[in-house]
Amino acid sequence: MNDTATLTRKADFPGLLTPEGAPWHYLDTAATAQKPQAVIDAMSRAMGEDYATVHRGVYSRSAMMTQGYEAARRRVADFIGAQSENEIVFVRGATEAINLVAASWGMTRLTEGDRIVLSTLEHHSNIVPWQMVAERTGAQIDVCPLTEDGCIDLGALEALIGPRTKLVALAHVSNVLGSVLDARKAADLAHSVGAKILLDGCQAAPRMTLDMKALDCDFYAFSGHKLYGPTGIGVLWAREDILDAMPPWQGGGAMIDKVSFEGTTYAPPPQRFEAGTPMITEAIALHAAIDYVAAHDPDKLYEHENGLARKLREELRRTNAVTLFGPEESAGIVSFALQGVHPHDLGTILDEENVAIRAGHHCAQPLMEHLGVPATARASFGLYSDENDIAALMRGIERTRRIFG
């Protein structure tokens, strides 16, 4: 494992202290990441002395804000290895990105009898939109099972897909188990039957290097707030030719070419999918977040968080009352259950120790059913995490065992 001191920058994150100034051991980064001061400052400037609308104003501050907004789009494109900034659509989050694809591409491309392939470990945001499309089009959903250690079973996927498979939609990294998909192999399998593939990249974007060309997927979605940026903004990446063939999802200002009561023509992508006043300040803050993450090298971040997850699993394994879920090697996420203690009770007691974890079904109820539990406790790491956080968690678990013992 890398030296945590070289990666951990707690001082950059004002949210990592309690109101009394004590350390707050934040182990819920998979839900939402804490924000570095650089992001807070960028958003504050954008909302204050730099603020103006974009795209429409002829005055100088509006022009400058437009430059900043579109610079954020270019920065995202560079960060994920997109071929063009025109492949980057700003949305409110990954949930909206997937719903956009479902409503625009899915509702116009899928027909009765077509197959949509999901996996057992998907987040609800990558299940429910496709169920809605299936109900309206007559398409059907197939579910790819998992391997014994909680990874998407690509052997099963190969056997499951066929000529009627039109879309494969999978999590790049599981938000519950931290298991990492061999995304390129999944893309090759989907393309072998002429299907498109969508990847939910919410947990991958903050902790690994992305390259859309290398992944060879068709759609990629992620949220800004998990990437150390603000809430209210996310990214849909799609191949330019696919976006160009998709109809608008929402109507309004900014997404049009010409409007008359006789008919309307639409702007080209990505503007076609960005109706209304955009998330201006959020995009600029996302730019700052990406700069911050890139400066720390996503490959090193992955090694750092993977090493912490491995260390935590070793510590938890010493506690006989703990059941671990998922693979030994995970992307900074560890889910577990403490015998005789509901995860919500554990989370409440840990909070008294200034330790924050997630407790619940993590918007993955089908996975909970597969695991045979109603909920799990989940500890997830960020670039600010270190072994002190693990030690605090273990102290809290021991206290919980004494209380429930």
Side-chain angles (χ1 to χ4, degrees):
M1 188 173 97
N2 282 3
D3 179 6
T4 59
T6 64
L7 286 171
T8 305
R9 299 291 299 275
K10 289 186 184 293
D12 291 348
F13 294 83
L16 294 180
L17 292 174
T18 69
E20 298 75 29
W24 190 42
H25 302 283
Y26 185 72
L27 294 172
D28 197 20
T29 300
T32 192
Q34 292 293 312
K35 315 309 172 194
Q37 190 64 49
V39 170
I40 297 169
D41 291 344
M43 193 158 187
S44 179
R45 286 193 304 272
M47 293 183 72
E49 60 264 35
D50 293 345
Y51 188 74
T53 191
V54 297
H55 297 149
R56 300 175 181 87
V58 296
Y59 48 92
S60 58
R61 189 185 292 187
S62 175
M64 291 177 62
M65 202 62 153
T66 299
Q67 290 175 359
Y69 180 76
E70 292 302 332
R73 195 189 307 277
R74 290 191 296 275
R75 186 66 179 98
V76 171
D78 179 67
F79 182 66
I80 68 172
Q83 295 293 101
S84 166
E85 65 200 71
N86 294 328
E87 298 175 333
I88 305 300
V89 179
F90 284 134
V91 289
R92 288 184 299 164
T95 298
E96 184 168 274
I98 296 170
N99 274 275
L100 191 164
V101 177
S104 177
W105 183 89
M107 291 297 295
T108 58
R109 295 294 187 276
L110 299 176
T111 60
E112 187 171 357
D114 286 341
R115 318 293 294 201
I116 303 166
V117 178
L118 311 175
S119 83
T120 301
L121 59 68
E122 298 308 312
H123 189 282
H124 296 166
S125 293
N126 201 27
I127 298 175
V128 178
W130 303 115
Q131 290 176 326
M132 296 168 70
V133 169
E135 289 170 0
R136 296 169 186 170
T137 64
Q140 298 179 33
I141 292 175
D142 297 315
V143 181
C144 181
L146 308 180
T147 60
E148 188 174 342
D149 65 351
C151 297
I152 296 173
D153 189 337
L154 293 183
L157 177 65
E158 184 173 14
L160 186 63
I161 60 177
R164 293 308 301 267
T165 304
K166 301 302 180 185
L167 179 75
V168 176
L170 304 173
H172 195 172
V173 173
S174 167
N175 73 305
V176 177
L177 305 175
S179 49
V180 181
L181 173 71
D182 185 338
R184 179 54 189 260
K185 184 174 181 180
D188 290 344
L189 289 172
H191 294 155
S192 72
V193 296
K196 298 289 190 289
I197 183 167
L198 177 147
L199 296 177
D200 171 359
C202 278
Q203 302 300 334
R207 50 179 57 92
M208 56 176 50
T209 299
L210 297 179
D211 184 336
M212 295 300 104
K213 184 176 181 180
L215 290 177
D216 198 30
C217 57
D218 300 291
F219 304 99
Y220 201 92
F222 62 93
S223 293
H225 71 98
K226 297 180 191 293
L227 187 58
Y228 305 94
T231 56
I233 189 166
V235 172
L236 170 65
W237 170 89
R239 296 181 186 280
E240 199 165 357
D241 60 321
I242 296 176
L243 285 176
D244 193 55
M246 287 167 52
W249 177 38
Q250 297 174 322
M255 50 74 68
I256 55 88
D257 173 35
K258 182 180 180 181
V259 176
S260 72
F261 285 109
E262 288 70 38
T264 295
T265 55
Y266 304 115
Q271 286 75 25
R272 182 186 302 167
F273 305 104
E274 295 180 6
T277 302
M279 49 290 282
I280 304 167
T281 59
E282 291 85 353
I284 289 170
L286 177 60
H287 188 161
I290 288 174
D291 284 347
Y292 186 89
V293 170
H296 288 78
D297 188 344
D299 287 335
K300 290 182 179 178
L301 296 183
Y302 182 85
E303 293 173 13
H304 174 69
E305 295 172 32
N306 173 269
L308 289 171
R310 192 162 55 245
K311 171 68 173 176
L312 176 57
R313 293 180 74 90
E314 291 172 359
E315 294 290 333
L316 289 171
R317 202 172 278 113
R318 295 192 180 102
T319 304
N320 295 330
V322 168
T323 300
L324 286 163
F325 303 102
E328 287 301 306
E329 295 295 320
S330 72
I333 297 171
V334 178
S335 278
F336 62 96
L338 185 60
Q339 184 179 341
V341 182
H342 193 282
H344 289 165
D345 292 327
L346 174 60
T348 300
I349 294 171
L350 288 172
D351 183 48
E352 296 171 357
E353 301 290 320
N354 292 336
V355 177
I357 65 163
R358 198 71 162 182
H361 55 65
H362 318 294
C363 295
Q365 288 179 324
L367 177 56
M368 295 298 109
E369 183 177 355
H370 170 77
L371 297 175
V373 295
T376 70
R378 183 188 70 186
S380 52
F381 299 105
L383 62 84
Y384 37 63
S385 304
D386 59 26
E387 293 187 10
N388 291 326
D389 300 315
I390 294 176
L393 172 61
M394 296 307 301
R395 288 194 299 271
I397 288 174
E398 288 306 311
R399 181 184 172 220
T400 304
R401 291 185 67 194
R402 290 194 298 270
I403 292 172
F404 282 84

